[in-house]
Structure formats: C-alpha cells, structure tokens
Amino acid sequence: GIQVEQSPPDLILQEGANSTLRCNFSDSVNNLQWFHQNPWGQLINLFYIPSGTKQNGRLSATTVATERYSLLYISSSQTTDSGVYFCAVETSGSRLTFGEGTQLTVNP
Amino acid sequence: DTEVTQTPKHLVMGMTNKKSLKCEQHMGHRAMYWYKQKAKKPPELMFVYSYEKLSINESVPSRFSPECPNSSLLNLHLHALQPEDSALYLCASSQEWLVTDTQYFGPGTRLTVL
C-alpha cells in the first residue's frame, strides 16, 4: 500500500514563529487532506489539496503531486495552533491513509 | 453546515456491557465512516457505509457491529469489548463513496473498557 511520511515528528515553537511541515507519499494520489487534531481529539479539516497552493489566513499549503510531497506552512504561530497535524492521502476507493502526524507545541 | 456530531463524548464500559455510539450528519452526505484511533497514532478505518449499505469492513472483530438506520445516522454497537479496544472512535462523512472528496470528522467518542 501507499506510504505516507510526515516530518518532523515533533516541533516546539515560540509564539510568533513560522514553521513548515512536510508530507511525502510513495505513489500517485487522488486526494490529499491536511488535518489539525486539537487536544480534545477533534480532527479539523485544514485543506483539501491534491495539487497546487491554497491559503487560509495564517495557514497555507502546497502540494507538488508530480514530486509526491505536500507542505503545510504556519505563520505567526499561536498557542491555539498546538496539536497534531496529519496529512492523509486517498488513492482509490475513498480510503484515506494517514501519516503518523507532527506533534506541534507552541509556547507563549 | 459542515458538522458531524457524535454522542456520547466519553464512555466507560465493562467487558460484559452492551453500549452504542451514535453519529449524525445533516450535510446530505451518502458516505459515512467509522475510524478507531489509539493514543499517539493516526486514525484507522473500520467501516464504510455508502447509501446506507455496508461497503467496507476492514476485518473488524464482530464485537463491533455497525448500523446505518438512515442516510443521516450511523451507529456502532459494542458488545463484549476488551480493554485493548479502549480508544477514540471517530465518525466521518463525505459526499459519495468512491468519489474523491473531503471527509468531515466528528469530535469523537473516547471509550474506556474496564
């Protein structure tokens, strides 16, 4: 099956710092989503981005499908950005395969 | 409205109990999913329903019994669970099964089996 690797596994930032999270995948995908899981367990959709670049406020994402990677940019980080960021890809059959996640901690 | 709701938020049950988890969405989605997530791991797919019919069962033990009474509602019936079944159970929905689309997740039910 497809392999999804996220890096770094853990990231600690001071409030106001910028960061880049990476997702590599081993095969062609139909879909790629970025999620933020908050400390209460809620998985929040950030981006649906099989290719190209999207921006939403302080967050933006870029997927380069031909090179099989996606990047999530967080600018001016806030303590509420803390949590786990998952990349999930869909190959066929609407099955999402998740990466192991990046645990982000933003300190005040 | 992109909301998926789940009840209860927390559930503690003994190994001989029978309980049910409930999931609801009113987005008109025809595909609904159950995922299981252990601590510090990503979600794992358990079941997929499409148009109220079970489409995928990822070799889940029979002590987990899904049910889709109508297009908005998805239940997961639990019976004779083991302590290792303790996890966060997430429900999700999307427009259609086998059509590439965003999956929307509920807040989850945190299950503890004693």
Side-chain angles (χ1 to χ4, degrees):
Chain A
I2 191 167
Q3 304 298 312
V4 182
E5 293 181 357
Q6 290 187 243
S7 59
D10 296 279
L11 185 58
I12 300 175
L13 301 173
Q14 284 302 119
E15 205 167 21
N18 302 328
S19 62
T20 301
L21 282 56
R22 186 176 181 104
C23 172
N24 293 332
F25 42 97
S26 61
D27 205 346
S28 301
V29 299
N30 297 330
N31 174 20
L32 187 144
Q33 289 185 246
W34 282 99
F35 295 92
H36 173 217
Q37 189 164 40
N38 65 24
W40 299 271
Q42 172 84 59
L43 267 172
I44 299 161
N45 284 287
L46 298 177
F47 294 102
Y48 171 92
I49 186 165
S51 64
T53 297
K54 290 187 177 179
Q55 178 149 11
N56 184 2
R58 296 181 295 104
L59 302 182
S60 64
T62 295
T63 297
V64 184
T66 52
E67 296 187 23
R68 298 181 184 165
Y69 73 88
S70 183
L71 302 174
L72 178 69
Y73 305 96
I74 304 174
S75 65
S76 304
S77 57
Q78 300 175 357
T79 56
T80 51
D81 295 331
S82 296
V84 182
Y85 289 80
F86 286 107
C87 161
V89 301
E90 178 187 331
T91 49
S92 61
S94 298
R95 277 182 172 85
L96 280 181
T97 300
F98 285 79
E100 291 291 311
T102 292
Q103 173 75 57
L104 175 64
T105 303
V106 180
N107 292 321
Chain B
D1 181 11
T2 56
E3 190 178 28
V4 177
T5 59
Q6 289 187 244
T7 55
K9 285 188 169 49
H10 301 274
L11 179 62
V12 179
M13 61 186 290
M15 289 189 284
T16 58
N17 292 157
K18 285 185 182 180
K19 296 286 185 183
S20 296
L21 310 184
K22 179 179 171 181
C23 171
E24 202 159 3
Q25 57 88 14
H26 295 287
M27 295 179 276
H29 290 173
R30 304 318 298 264
M32 296 186 76
Y33 312 77
W34 280 115
Y35 288 82
K36 174 182 177 179
Q37 187 179 20
K38 300 285 278 185
K40 299 195 181 299
K41 301 297 285 182
E44 295 178 345
L45 184 66
M46 300 173 71
F47 302 105
V48 180
Y49 271 82
S50 175
Y51 287 86
E52 299 149 51
K53 294 204 178 341
L54 183 64
S55 296
I56 296 288
N57 176 343
E58 295 283 32
S59 303
V60 179
S62 60
R63 56 186 185 269
F64 294 92
S65 175
E67 178 198 19
C68 190
N70 60 57
S71 60
S72 301
L73 195 53
L74 185 66
N75 298 321
L76 186 62
H77 303 298
L78 314 172
H79 173 54
L81 294 193
Q82 304 297 309
E84 58 264 30
D85 296 321
S86 298
L88 179 67
Y89 288 85
L90 293 162
C91 173
S93 70
S94 68
Q95 194 68 39
E96 294 264 350
W97 171 242
L98 296 179
V99 172
T100 300
D101 197 6
T102 304
Q103 286 191 25
Y104 295 92
F105 283 77
T109 293
R110 203 166 290 278
L111 174 67
T112 302
V113 182
L114 300 176

